[in-house]
Amino acid sequence: SQQGEEDPQALSIQEGENATMNCSYKTSINNLQWYRQNSGRGLVHLILIRSNEREKHSGRLRVTLDTSKKSSSLLITASRAADTASYFCATGRGGSNYKLTFGKGTLLTVNP
Amino acid sequence: DAGVIQSPRHEVTEMGQEVTLRCKPISGHDYLFWYRQTMMRGLELLIYFNNNVPIDDSGMPEDRFSAKMPNASFSTLKIQPSEPRDSAVYFCASSSVDKNQPQHFGDGTRLSIL
């Protein structure tokens, strides 16, 4: 599997529900980043978690990082229709934070 | 801040033609990245620059692809000659020197080679 691989590939929920997306990676990292991409637009940075952090919050977003399992999760609470987008995790390759590797993403659909 | 600006937003051209994609990074950012996104391969890093100097072009698929950054506020990605398999969305992104800062993406150029 690729560095920065998300699952599930697609997730459909009702407005107000929580959405959880997972990301696994292979090599050591300095940080892991989550991005959102709306249809036809570029990626927008959501949150960055450093390797020495275990959990981070930003508004309705909560990110966890487990370096022993080489995995991260993104939780969106109280989802809204506007949260409908693809979500990607990204990690630096070979210790480099500039050469980001993105997974294929999770397509989240929030139904009103 | 205007963000990363890419042009054109859409490009449709015939196989064999030269294609030039343009990018204006965020002012003050030292790093500039070119990515390609396809359904099959996802988002791939093609090349990145630091202070206008190409640092790693190992993602450039073939010699038909070239990228330049003549100054801190402008970069181009050129494909010559273009082929149908080059059809994709090409993104430019920029970031500051702090490696814990995110990359800021433009809205991309959707390229279709007929």
Side-chain angles (χ1 to χ4, degrees), chain B residues 1 3-4 24-33 49-52 69 71-74 93-98 101-105:
Chain B
D1 194 333
V4 175
K24 177 178 169 57
I26 292 173
S27 177
H29 279 187
D30 299 299
Y31 285 84
L32 183 138
F33 308 84
F49 295 82
N50 176 219
N51 291 327
N52 313 336
M69 193 165 185
N71 57 63
S73 60
F74 183 66
S94 68
S95 72
S96 67
V97 67
D98 182 346
Q101 289 299 309
Q103 295 182 17
H104 298 261
F105 284 73

Side-chain angles (χ1 to χ4, degrees), chain B residues 11-81:
Chain B
E11 174 89 13
V12 181
T13 192
E14 292 188 346
M15 182 174 66
Q17 297 297 308
E18 178 179 290
V19 173
T20 300
L21 311 181
R22 297 173 176 79
C23 175
K24 177 178 169 57
I26 292 173
S27 177
H29 279 187
D30 299 299
Y31 285 84
L32 183 138
F33 308 84
W34 282 101
Y35 290 89
R36 178 172 68 176
Q37 186 177 39
T38 61
M39 289 294 292
M40 289 295 293
R41 302 174 67 89
L43 196 65
E44 304 172 278
L45 176 65
L46 301 178
I47 185 172
Y48 76 94
F49 295 82
N50 176 219
N51 291 327
N52 313 336
V53 176
I55 301 301
D56 189 329
D57 65 355
S58 59
M60 297 285 261
E62 299 173 34
D63 291 345
R64 298 184 295 105
F65 286 70
S66 62
K68 294 182 180 179
M69 193 165 185
N71 57 63
S73 60
F74 183 66
S75 177
T76 59
L77 177 67
K78 189 172 291 188
I79 308 173
Q80 166 64 19

